[in-house]
Amino acid sequence: MSTPPAQSNNSKITVYVVSCWIFAAFGGLMFGYDIGISGGVSGMDDFLIKFFPNVYERKLHAKENNYCKYDDQLLQLFTSSLYLSALVSSFFASKACSALGRRPTIFMASIFFIAGAIISAASEYRWMLIVGRILFGVGVGFGNETVPLFLTEVAPIQLRGAVNIMFQLFVTIGIFIANLVNYATSTMHPNGWRVSLGLAAVPAMLLLIGCFVITDTPASLIERGKDDQGKAALKKIRGVDNVEVEYMEIIDARDEAKAVKHPFRNLMKAASVPPLVIAILLQVFQQFTGINAIMFYAPVLFQTMGFKSDGALLSSVITGLVNVGSTFVSIYAVDKVGRRKLLLQACCQMLISQLAIGFILSAYLKETGTLDRTLATVVVVLVCTYVMSFAWSWGPLGWLIPSETFPMETRTAGFAFAVSTNMLFTSLIAQAFLTMLCKMQAYIFFFFSGWIVVMGLFVIFLLPETKGVPIDSMVEDVWKKHPVWKKLFKNE
Protein backbone atom coordinates (compact mmCIF):
# COMPACT_ATOMS: atom_id res chain seq x y z
CA MET A 1 0.00 0.00 0.00
CA SER A 2 1.48 3.33 -1.01
CA THR A 3 1.08 6.13 1.49
CA PRO A 4 2.21 9.75 1.26
CA PRO A 5 5.08 10.40 3.65
CA ALA A 6 3.18 13.15 5.44
CA GLN A 7 0.54 10.65 6.50
CA SER A 8 2.99 7.93 7.49
CA ASN A 9 5.03 10.23 9.70
CA ASN A 10 2.24 10.87 12.22
CA SER A 11 4.25 10.80 15.44
CA LYS A 12 5.57 12.75 18.39
CA ILE A 13 8.97 12.36 20.02
CA THR A 14 7.92 11.43 23.55
CA VAL A 15 9.96 10.73 26.66
CA TYR A 16 8.82 7.12 26.47
CA VAL A 17 10.00 6.45 22.91
CA VAL A 18 13.37 8.13 23.61
CA SER A 19 13.65 5.90 26.69
CA CYS A 20 13.02 2.88 24.45
CA TRP A 21 15.83 3.97 22.09
CA ILE A 22 18.29 4.54 24.92
CA PHE A 23 17.54 1.36 26.86
CA ALA A 24 17.72 -0.79 23.71
CA ALA A 25 20.94 0.92 22.65
CA PHE A 26 22.57 -0.38 25.85
CA GLY A 27 22.97 -3.54 23.75
CA GLY A 28 25.57 -1.57 21.80
CA LEU A 29 27.19 -0.43 25.04
CA MET A 30 27.49 -4.08 26.07
CA PHE A 31 29.14 -5.02 22.76
CA GLY A 32 31.47 -2.02 22.79
CA TYR A 33 32.59 -2.63 26.37
CA ASP A 34 33.71 -6.11 25.45
CA ILE A 35 35.60 -4.92 22.35
CA GLY A 36 37.47 -2.36 24.47
CA ILE A 37 38.09 -4.50 27.53
CA SER A 38 39.74 -7.44 25.75
CA GLY A 39 42.86 -5.66 24.57
CA GLY A 40 43.53 -3.93 27.89
CA VAL A 41 43.17 -7.15 29.86
CA SER A 42 45.40 -8.98 27.35
CA GLY A 43 48.20 -6.53 28.12
CA MET A 44 47.97 -6.70 31.93
CA ASP A 45 50.90 -8.53 33.53
CA ASP A 46 48.77 -10.13 36.27
CA PHE A 47 46.44 -11.60 33.65
CA LEU A 48 49.32 -12.90 31.53
CA ILE A 49 51.13 -14.43 34.52
CA LYS A 50 48.03 -16.37 35.55
CA PHE A 51 46.80 -17.60 32.18
CA PHE A 52 49.55 -17.03 29.58
CA PRO A 53 52.91 -17.25 31.39
CA ASN A 54 54.80 -17.99 28.16
CA VAL A 55 53.63 -14.67 26.71
CA TYR A 56 54.68 -12.90 29.91
CA GLU A 57 58.14 -14.45 29.76
CA ARG A 58 58.60 -13.33 26.14
CA LYS A 59 57.42 -9.85 27.09
CA LEU A 60 60.14 -9.61 29.79
CA HIS A 61 63.03 -10.37 27.44
CA ALA A 62 64.69 -7.12 26.45
CA LYS A 63 65.84 -8.53 23.13
CA GLU A 64 62.50 -10.13 22.28
CA ASN A 65 61.05 -9.14 18.94
CA ASN A 66 58.80 -6.10 19.45
CA TYR A 67 56.27 -7.41 16.98
CA CYS A 68 56.07 -10.98 18.31
CA LYS A 69 56.04 -10.79 22.08
CA TYR A 70 52.24 -11.14 22.24
CA ASP A 71 51.92 -13.74 19.46
CA ASP A 72 50.07 -16.60 21.12
CA GLN A 73 47.15 -18.54 19.63
CA LEU A 74 45.47 -19.12 22.99
CA LEU A 75 45.76 -15.43 23.87
CA GLN A 76 44.10 -14.60 20.54
CA LEU A 77 41.46 -17.27 21.21
CA PHE A 78 40.60 -15.34 24.39
CA THR A 79 39.36 -12.52 22.11
CA SER A 80 38.15 -14.39 19.03
CA SER A 81 36.14 -17.10 20.84
CA LEU A 82 33.49 -14.52 21.63
CA TYR A 83 32.89 -13.75 17.96
CA LEU A 84 32.79 -17.39 16.90
CA SER A 85 30.17 -17.92 19.60
CA ALA A 86 28.28 -14.83 18.43
CA LEU A 87 28.36 -16.10 14.83
CA VAL A 88 26.67 -19.38 15.77
CA SER A 89 24.23 -17.87 18.27
CA SER A 90 23.04 -15.17 15.84
CA PHE A 91 21.15 -17.83 13.86
CA PHE A 92 19.35 -18.99 17.03
CA ALA A 93 18.74 -15.33 17.91
CA SER A 94 17.06 -14.79 14.54
CA LYS A 95 14.63 -17.64 15.27
CA ALA A 96 13.99 -16.38 18.81
CA CYS A 97 13.44 -12.86 17.52
CA SER A 98 10.71 -14.05 15.16
CA ALA A 99 9.07 -16.63 17.43
CA LEU A 100 9.26 -14.89 20.82
CA GLY A 101 9.61 -11.21 19.93
CA ARG A 102 12.26 -8.51 20.14
CA ARG A 103 12.03 -7.75 23.86
CA PRO A 104 12.38 -11.36 25.12
CA THR A 105 15.38 -11.85 22.82
CA ILE A 106 17.04 -8.70 24.18
CA PHE A 107 16.30 -10.00 27.70
CA MET A 108 18.09 -13.26 26.88
CA ALA A 109 21.07 -11.32 25.49
CA SER A 110 21.51 -9.52 28.82
CA ILE A 111 21.24 -12.75 30.85
CA PHE A 112 23.90 -14.54 28.79
CA PHE A 113 26.21 -11.52 29.02
CA ILE A 114 25.84 -11.26 32.80
CA ALA A 115 26.65 -14.97 33.14
CA GLY A 116 29.75 -14.42 30.97
CA ALA A 117 30.89 -11.54 33.17
CA ILE A 118 30.51 -13.57 36.36
CA ILE A 119 32.41 -16.62 35.06
CA SER A 120 35.13 -14.47 33.45
CA ALA A 121 35.76 -12.48 36.61
CA ALA A 122 35.86 -15.66 38.72
CA SER A 123 38.12 -17.60 36.33
CA GLU A 124 40.91 -19.68 37.82
CA TYR A 125 41.69 -21.76 34.73
CA ARG A 126 41.90 -21.11 31.00
CA TRP A 127 38.83 -23.22 30.28
CA MET A 128 36.76 -21.01 32.60
CA LEU A 129 38.04 -17.97 30.78
CA ILE A 130 37.01 -19.40 27.41
CA VAL A 131 33.57 -20.49 28.72
CA GLY A 132 33.04 -16.93 29.94
CA ARG A 133 34.00 -15.59 26.51
CA ILE A 134 31.58 -17.99 24.83
CA LEU A 135 28.73 -16.78 27.05
CA PHE A 136 29.72 -13.20 26.26
CA GLY A 137 29.50 -14.20 22.60
CA VAL A 138 26.00 -15.62 22.91
CA GLY A 139 24.93 -12.35 24.52
CA VAL A 140 26.53 -10.36 21.71
CA GLY A 141 24.97 -12.60 19.05
CA PHE A 142 21.49 -12.17 20.49
CA GLY A 143 21.97 -8.44 21.10
CA ASN A 144 23.46 -7.55 17.71
CA GLU A 145 20.76 -9.49 15.87
CA THR A 146 17.91 -7.83 17.77
CA VAL A 147 18.86 -4.32 18.94
CA PRO A 148 19.39 -2.70 15.48
CA LEU A 149 16.13 -4.27 14.32
CA PHE A 150 14.33 -3.01 17.43
CA LEU A 151 15.65 0.53 16.96
CA THR A 152 14.62 0.58 13.30
CA GLU A 153 11.11 -0.66 14.07
CA VAL A 154 10.35 1.80 16.88
CA ALA A 155 11.88 4.86 15.19
CA PRO A 156 9.66 7.28 13.25
CA ILE A 157 10.43 7.17 9.53
CA GLN A 158 12.01 10.63 9.41
CA LEU A 159 14.54 9.72 12.14
CA ARG A 160 15.21 6.09 11.24
CA GLY A 161 18.81 6.63 10.11
CA ALA A 162 19.86 8.66 13.15
CA VAL A 163 18.12 6.30 15.61
CA ASN A 164 19.74 3.26 13.99
CA ILE A 165 23.18 4.85 14.39
CA MET A 166 22.52 5.09 18.15
CA PHE A 167 23.54 1.43 18.29
CA GLN A 168 26.99 2.25 16.89
CA LEU A 169 27.21 5.35 19.10
CA PHE A 170 26.72 3.21 22.19
CA VAL A 171 29.28 0.72 20.87
CA THR A 172 31.86 3.53 20.78
CA ILE A 173 30.83 4.73 24.25
CA GLY A 174 31.27 1.17 25.51
CA ILE A 175 34.77 1.00 24.03
CA PHE A 176 35.67 4.32 25.65
CA ILE A 177 34.35 3.29 29.07
CA ALA A 178 36.26 -0.01 28.81
CA ASN A 179 39.48 1.89 28.10
CA LEU A 180 38.91 4.08 31.17
CA VAL A 181 38.24 1.00 33.29
CA ASN A 182 41.39 -0.72 32.04
CA TYR A 183 43.44 2.41 32.78
CA ALA A 184 42.06 2.47 36.34
CA THR A 185 42.40 -1.27 37.04
CA SER A 186 45.89 -1.69 35.56
CA THR A 187 47.38 -0.72 38.96
CA MET A 188 44.99 -2.89 41.01
CA HIS A 189 47.31 -5.86 41.59
CA PRO A 190 46.76 -8.75 41.31
CA ASN A 191 43.06 -8.73 40.42
CA GLY A 192 42.57 -5.65 38.26
CA TRP A 193 41.73 -7.84 35.29
CA ARG A 194 38.93 -9.47 37.30
CA VAL A 195 37.38 -6.06 37.94
CA SER A 196 37.62 -5.14 34.25
CA LEU A 197 35.91 -8.35 33.11
CA GLY A 198 33.35 -8.36 35.94
CA LEU A 199 32.20 -4.81 35.22
CA ALA A 200 30.93 -6.06 31.85
CA ALA A 201 27.84 -7.05 33.84
CA VAL A 202 26.94 -3.36 34.35
CA PRO A 203 25.82 -2.51 30.78
CA ALA A 204 24.10 -5.91 30.64
CA MET A 205 22.22 -5.09 33.86
CA LEU A 206 21.14 -1.76 32.37
CA LEU A 207 19.86 -3.62 29.31
CA LEU A 208 18.07 -6.10 31.59
CA ILE A 209 16.37 -3.27 33.49
CA GLY A 210 15.45 -1.67 30.18
CA CYS A 211 13.56 -4.81 29.18
CA PHE A 212 11.00 -3.97 31.88
CA VAL A 213 10.58 -0.46 30.47
CA ILE A 214 10.47 -0.94 26.70
CA THR A 215 7.58 -2.41 24.77
CA ASP A 216 7.95 -5.06 22.12
CA THR A 217 7.80 -3.49 18.67
CA PRO A 218 4.45 -3.16 16.90
CA ALA A 219 5.85 -5.06 13.91
CA SER A 220 6.93 -7.97 16.11
CA LEU A 221 3.58 -8.16 17.92
CA ILE A 222 1.59 -8.02 14.68
CA GLU A 223 3.92 -10.54 13.04
CA ARG A 224 3.01 -12.98 15.82
CA GLY A 225 -0.74 -12.38 15.41
CA LYS A 226 -1.17 -9.98 18.34
CA ASP A 227 -2.82 -7.25 16.25
CA ASP A 228 -4.59 -5.39 19.07
CA GLN A 229 -1.45 -5.33 21.25
CA GLY A 230 0.53 -4.21 18.23
CA LYS A 231 -1.80 -1.30 17.59
CA ALA A 232 -1.69 -0.27 21.27
CA ALA A 233 2.11 -0.41 21.22
CA LEU A 234 2.16 1.69 18.05
CA LYS A 235 0.03 4.38 19.69
CA LYS A 236 2.33 4.36 22.72
CA ILE A 237 5.62 4.74 20.83
CA ARG A 238 4.19 7.29 18.36
CA GLY A 239 2.56 9.38 21.09
CA VAL A 240 -0.64 9.83 19.05
CA ASP A 241 -3.94 7.96 18.69
CA ASN A 242 -4.23 8.31 14.91
CA VAL A 243 -1.91 5.52 13.74
CA GLU A 244 -4.29 3.80 11.33
CA VAL A 245 -2.13 4.42 8.24
CA GLU A 246 1.06 3.00 9.72
CA TYR A 247 -0.87 0.18 11.39
CA MET A 248 -2.32 -0.92 8.04
CA GLU A 249 1.14 -0.71 6.44
CA ILE A 250 2.44 -3.15 9.06
CA ILE A 251 -0.57 -5.43 8.55
CA ASP A 252 0.05 -5.41 4.77
CA ALA A 253 3.76 -6.10 5.31
CA ARG A 254 2.89 -8.99 7.65
CA ASP A 255 0.51 -10.50 5.10
CA GLU A 256 3.08 -10.09 2.33
CA ALA A 257 5.79 -11.68 4.46
CA LYS A 258 3.55 -14.66 5.25
CA ALA A 259 3.21 -15.30 1.52
CA VAL A 260 6.99 -15.77 1.33
CA LYS A 261 7.65 -19.38 2.28
CA HIS A 262 11.42 -19.39 1.79
CA PRO A 263 12.92 -15.92 2.50
CA PHE A 264 16.51 -17.20 2.35
CA ARG A 265 15.85 -18.76 -1.08
CA ASN A 266 14.33 -15.47 -2.27
CA LEU A 267 17.64 -13.76 -1.58
CA MET A 268 18.79 -15.17 -4.91
CA LYS A 269 16.11 -13.23 -6.81
CA ALA A 270 17.19 -10.14 -8.77
CA ALA A 271 15.68 -7.60 -6.35
CA SER A 272 17.66 -9.00 -3.41
CA VAL A 273 21.01 -9.80 -5.05
CA PRO A 274 22.44 -6.22 -5.06
CA PRO A 275 21.63 -5.50 -1.38
CA LEU A 276 22.86 -8.99 -0.38
CA VAL A 277 26.22 -8.52 -2.12
CA ILE A 278 26.56 -5.03 -0.67
CA ALA A 279 25.56 -6.13 2.85
CA ILE A 280 28.14 -8.93 2.88
CA LEU A 281 30.94 -6.83 1.37
CA LEU A 282 30.28 -3.97 3.78
CA GLN A 283 30.83 -6.32 6.71
CA VAL A 284 34.00 -7.81 5.17
CA PHE A 285 35.42 -4.38 4.38
CA GLN A 286 34.46 -3.01 7.80
CA GLN A 287 36.80 -5.56 9.37
CA PHE A 288 39.55 -5.23 6.77
CA THR A 289 39.91 -1.54 7.49
CA GLY A 290 41.84 -2.87 10.48
CA ILE A 291 39.60 -1.08 12.98
CA ASN A 292 38.94 -4.00 15.29
CA ALA A 293 42.60 -4.99 15.22
CA ILE A 294 43.34 -1.54 16.65
CA MET A 295 40.38 -1.51 19.06
CA PHE A 296 40.98 -5.05 20.36
CA TYR A 297 44.69 -4.63 20.81
CA ALA A 298 45.22 -0.87 21.17
CA PRO A 299 47.09 -1.13 24.51
CA VAL A 300 49.19 -4.05 23.19
CA LEU A 301 49.87 -2.16 19.96
CA PHE A 302 50.98 0.97 21.79
CA GLN A 303 53.25 -1.09 24.05
CA THR A 304 54.81 -2.54 20.90
CA MET A 305 55.48 1.04 19.78
CA GLY A 306 57.35 1.75 22.98
CA PHE A 307 54.78 3.13 25.40
CA LYS A 308 54.88 1.80 28.94
CA SER A 309 51.81 -0.08 30.15
CA ASP A 310 50.05 2.96 31.65
CA GLY A 311 50.92 5.11 28.63
CA ALA A 312 49.52 2.48 26.30
CA LEU A 313 46.25 2.33 28.18
CA LEU A 314 46.02 6.14 28.30
CA SER A 315 46.59 6.31 24.54
CA SER A 316 43.76 3.84 23.97
CA VAL A 317 41.52 6.01 26.19
CA ILE A 318 42.27 8.94 23.88
CA THR A 319 41.41 6.94 20.76
CA GLY A 320 38.21 5.77 22.46
CA LEU A 321 37.17 9.35 23.14
CA VAL A 322 37.83 10.27 19.50
CA ASN A 323 35.72 7.29 18.46
CA VAL A 324 32.72 8.49 20.48
CA GLY A 325 32.92 12.11 19.35
CA SER A 326 33.25 11.25 15.68
CA THR A 327 30.16 9.04 15.71
CA PHE A 328 28.09 12.15 16.45
CA VAL A 329 29.34 13.53 13.13
CA SER A 330 27.73 10.57 11.39
CA ILE A 331 24.41 11.10 13.18
CA TYR A 332 24.41 14.72 12.00
CA ALA A 333 25.72 14.21 8.47
CA VAL A 334 24.36 10.89 7.23
CA ASP A 335 21.04 12.29 5.99
CA LYS A 336 22.56 15.57 4.81
CA VAL A 337 25.86 14.64 3.14
CA GLY A 338 24.86 11.14 2.06
CA ARG A 339 26.31 7.67 2.48
CA ARG A 340 28.73 7.57 -0.46
CA LYS A 341 30.50 10.84 0.34
CA LEU A 342 31.09 9.84 3.94
CA LEU A 343 32.48 6.46 2.90
CA LEU A 344 34.77 7.85 0.18
CA GLN A 345 36.08 10.69 2.37
CA ALA A 346 36.87 8.16 5.08
CA CYS A 347 38.72 5.91 2.63
CA CYS A 348 41.07 8.79 1.78
CA GLN A 349 41.66 9.73 5.41
CA MET A 350 42.15 6.14 6.59
CA LEU A 351 44.51 5.39 3.70
CA ILE A 352 46.75 8.36 4.49
CA SER A 353 46.79 7.50 8.21
CA GLN A 354 47.58 3.80 7.69
CA LEU A 355 50.33 4.48 5.16
CA ALA A 356 51.94 7.07 7.42
CA ILE A 357 51.86 4.68 10.42
CA GLY A 358 53.35 1.91 8.27
CA PHE A 359 56.18 4.11 6.99
CA ILE A 360 57.07 5.40 10.49
CA LEU A 361 57.11 1.94 12.06
CA SER A 362 58.99 0.29 9.20
CA ALA A 363 61.65 3.00 9.28
CA TYR A 364 62.04 3.58 13.02
CA LEU A 365 60.63 0.63 15.02
CA LYS A 366 62.95 -2.32 14.62
CA GLU A 367 62.56 -5.75 16.19
CA THR A 368 64.16 -4.40 19.36
CA GLY A 369 64.13 -0.91 20.83
CA THR A 370 61.33 1.65 20.90
CA LEU A 371 60.14 4.75 19.09
CA ASP A 372 61.26 8.07 20.54
CA ARG A 373 58.60 10.12 22.31
CA THR A 374 57.95 12.47 19.38
CA LEU A 375 57.39 9.73 16.82
CA ALA A 376 55.30 7.70 19.27
CA THR A 377 53.06 10.76 19.78
CA VAL A 378 52.76 11.20 16.01
CA VAL A 379 51.64 7.57 15.70
CA VAL A 380 48.95 8.12 18.36
CA VAL A 381 47.71 11.19 16.44
CA LEU A 382 47.62 9.18 13.21
CA VAL A 383 45.69 6.38 14.93
CA CYS A 384 43.22 9.02 16.13
CA THR A 385 42.72 10.43 12.61
CA TYR A 386 42.17 6.90 11.37
CA VAL A 387 39.65 6.04 14.12
CA MET A 388 37.93 9.39 13.57
CA SER A 389 37.19 8.73 9.90
CA PHE A 390 36.05 5.15 10.54
CA ALA A 391 33.67 6.27 13.29
CA TRP A 392 31.69 8.59 11.04
CA SER A 393 31.57 6.25 8.05
CA TRP A 394 32.30 2.52 7.79
CA GLY A 395 31.39 1.86 11.43
CA PRO A 396 27.77 3.07 11.56
CA LEU A 397 27.02 2.81 7.83
CA GLY A 398 28.05 -0.85 7.79
CA TRP A 399 24.93 -1.49 9.90
CA LEU A 400 22.65 1.20 8.45
CA ILE A 401 22.91 0.45 4.72
CA PRO A 402 21.96 -3.26 4.95
CA SER A 403 18.94 -2.33 7.07
CA GLU A 404 17.53 0.01 4.41
CA THR A 405 18.29 -1.64 1.07
CA PHE A 406 16.57 -5.05 1.17
CA PRO A 407 13.01 -5.44 -0.13
CA MET A 408 10.51 -6.18 2.62
CA GLU A 409 10.13 -9.90 1.98
CA THR A 410 13.85 -10.63 2.49
CA ARG A 411 14.83 -7.88 4.92
CA THR A 412 15.17 -10.08 8.01
CA ALA A 413 16.96 -12.89 6.18
CA GLY A 414 19.30 -10.44 4.46
CA PHE A 415 20.18 -8.66 7.70
CA ALA A 416 20.94 -12.03 9.29
CA PHE A 417 23.57 -12.59 6.61
CA ALA A 418 25.08 -9.19 7.41
CA VAL A 419 25.31 -9.96 11.15
CA SER A 420 26.80 -13.43 10.67
CA THR A 421 29.34 -12.14 8.14
CA ASN A 422 30.39 -9.40 10.55
CA MET A 423 30.89 -11.88 13.38
CA LEU A 424 32.83 -14.30 11.14
CA PHE A 425 35.33 -11.73 9.92
CA THR A 426 35.59 -10.08 13.33
CA SER A 427 36.63 -13.45 14.79
CA LEU A 428 39.12 -14.05 11.96
CA ILE A 429 40.80 -10.69 12.51
CA ALA A 430 40.80 -11.17 16.29
CA GLN A 431 42.38 -14.60 15.97
CA ALA A 432 44.94 -13.64 13.33
CA PHE A 433 46.04 -10.09 14.16
CA LEU A 434 48.83 -10.76 16.67
CA THR A 435 50.29 -13.48 14.44
CA MET A 436 50.03 -11.15 11.42
CA LEU A 437 51.76 -8.42 13.43
CA CYS A 438 54.58 -10.85 14.25
CA LYS A 439 55.02 -12.09 10.66
CA MET A 440 54.36 -8.88 8.73
CA GLN A 441 55.59 -6.39 11.33
CA ALA A 442 54.99 -2.78 10.22
CA TYR A 443 53.86 -4.00 6.81
CA ILE A 444 50.56 -5.06 8.34
CA PHE A 445 49.49 -1.44 7.97
CA PHE A 446 50.25 -1.59 4.25
CA PHE A 447 48.13 -4.75 4.11
CA PHE A 448 45.13 -2.89 5.53
CA SER A 449 45.88 0.10 3.28
CA GLY A 450 45.52 -2.14 0.23
CA TRP A 451 42.09 -3.19 1.40
CA ILE A 452 41.07 0.44 1.87
CA VAL A 453 41.85 1.08 -1.81
CA VAL A 454 39.61 -1.86 -2.76
CA MET A 455 36.88 -0.44 -0.51
CA GLY A 456 37.01 2.91 -2.26
CA LEU A 457 36.64 1.23 -5.66
CA PHE A 458 33.70 -0.76 -4.30
CA VAL A 459 31.92 2.45 -3.26
CA ILE A 460 32.64 4.17 -6.59
CA PHE A 461 31.44 1.35 -8.84
CA LEU A 462 28.94 -0.75 -6.85
CA LEU A 463 27.40 1.27 -4.01
CA PRO A 464 24.57 3.64 -4.99
CA GLU A 465 23.47 6.61 -2.90
CA THR A 466 20.38 5.73 -0.86
CA LYS A 467 19.93 9.02 0.99
CA GLY A 468 16.31 10.13 0.79
CA VAL A 469 15.16 7.06 -1.17
CA PRO A 470 12.05 5.35 0.32
CA ILE A 471 12.85 1.79 1.36
CA ASP A 472 10.13 0.28 -0.80
CA SER A 473 11.32 2.21 -3.87
CA MET A 474 14.88 0.86 -3.89
CA VAL A 475 14.33 -1.54 -6.81
CA GLU A 476 12.77 1.03 -9.14
CA ASP A 477 14.70 4.14 -8.06
CA VAL A 478 18.13 2.64 -7.33
CA TRP A 479 18.88 -0.88 -8.58
CA LYS A 480 17.17 -0.63 -11.98
CA LYS A 481 18.93 2.68 -12.67
CA HIS A 482 22.42 1.71 -11.47
CA PRO A 483 24.93 1.16 -14.33
CA VAL A 484 26.06 -2.20 -12.94
CA TRP A 485 23.05 -3.61 -11.07
CA LYS A 486 20.47 -2.74 -13.76
CA LYS A 487 21.81 -5.64 -15.83
CA LEU A 488 20.13 -8.06 -13.41
CA PHE A 489 16.75 -6.64 -14.38
CA LYS A 490 17.14 -6.56 -18.17
CA ASN A 491 14.58 -9.36 -18.66
CA GLU A 492 11.96 -7.75 -16.44
Side-chain angles (χ1 to χ4, degrees), residues 68-360:
C68 296
K69 57 188 175 184
Y70 290 96
D71 179 24
D72 185 273
Q73 289 299 311
L74 284 174
L75 180 59
Q76 291 172 102
L77 183 63
F78 166 69
T79 298
S80 67
S81 57
L82 180 146
Y83 300 95
L84 292 171
S85 173
L87 167 64
V88 174
S89 64
S90 64
F91 292 104
F92 293 97
S94 179
K95 295 293 185 183
C97 201
S98 296
L100 303 177
R102 316 311 187 223
R103 184 170 66 172
T105 309
I106 293 174
F107 181 86
M108 287 189 284
S110 63
I111 294 297
F112 280 119
F113 208 83
I114 290 169
I118 293 171
I119 292 177
S120 296
S123 292
E124 292 293 337
Y125 308 99
R126 282 183 183 175
W127 68 265
M128 293 180 67
L129 202 62
I130 300 303
V131 168
R133 297 296 292 171
I134 290 171
L135 288 171
F136 274 143
V138 176
V140 166
F142 273 65
N144 283 20
E145 177 71 25
T146 313
V147 170
L149 186 59
F150 178 93
L151 291 172
T152 296
E153 290 179 343
V154 300
I157 295 171
Q158 67 271 25
L159 294 177
R160 188 166 292 158
V163 172
N164 187 280
I165 290 175
M166 283 184 67
F167 175 74
Q168 180 67 20
L169 173 64
F170 274 66
V171 171
T172 64
I173 292 172
I175 293 171
F176 176 62
I177 292 173
N179 289 333
L180 287 177
V181 169
N182 279 336
Y183 184 65
T185 60
S186 62
T187 57
M188 296 171 58
H189 304 294
N191 292 316
W193 62 270
R194 294 188 189 275
V195 176
S196 290
L197 293 174
L199 286 176
V202 175
M205 285 296 298
L206 293 172
L207 186 64
L208 180 66
I209 292 168
C211 289
F212 295 97
V213 176
I214 65 177
T215 179
D216 210 339
T217 69
S220 175
L221 290 165
I222 292 170
E223 180 185 15
R224 290 178 287 125
K226 301 179 180 181
D227 293 8
D228 292 340
Q229 289 178 249
K231 191 171 188 178
L234 189 60
K235 289 180 180 180
K236 191 171 185 180
I237 64 172
R238 294 292 177 253
V240 296
D241 289 328
N242 181 18
V243 296
E244 197 63 29
V245 170
E246 188 174 358
Y247 173 70
M248 290 308 301
E249 288 178 340
I250 298 172
I251 292 289
D252 289 347
R254 187 266 312 273
D255 294 341
E256 185 177 342
K258 280 187 175 180
V260 178
K261 302 300 182 184
H262 305 286
F264 283 93
R265 188 182 303 169
N266 280 10
L267 285 170
M268 295 299 103
K269 291 186 176 180
S272 294
V273 169
L276 178 63
V277 172
I278 285 170
I280 290 174
L281 288 178
L282 278 171
Q283 306 310 314
V284 175
F285 291 148
Q286 190 186 75
Q287 300 311 310
F288 277 95
T289 60
I291 185 63
N292 277 344
I294 286 179
M295 288 302 175
F296 287 149
Y297 300 114
V300 171
L301 191 62
F302 287 131
Q303 285 188 42
T304 296
M305 294 172 187
F307 288 85
K308 299 298 184 183
S309 180
D310 286 352
L313 288 169
L314 180 60
S315 298
S316 62
V317 168
I318 294 170
T319 59
L321 184 60
V322 169
N323 198 16
V324 174
S326 300
T327 305
F328 283 102
V329 175
S330 184
I331 292 175
Y332 173 79
V334 67
D335 292 316
K336 295 180 174 62
V337 176
R339 283 69 160 150
R340 278 169 53 90
K341 288 182 180 178
L342 281 176
L343 292 171
L344 287 172
Q345 184 280 331
C347 281
C348 296
Q349 188 166 325
M350 287 191 295
L351 180 62
I352 292 170
S353 300
Q354 291 266 29
L355 288 174
I357 293 171
F359 282 123
I360 290 174

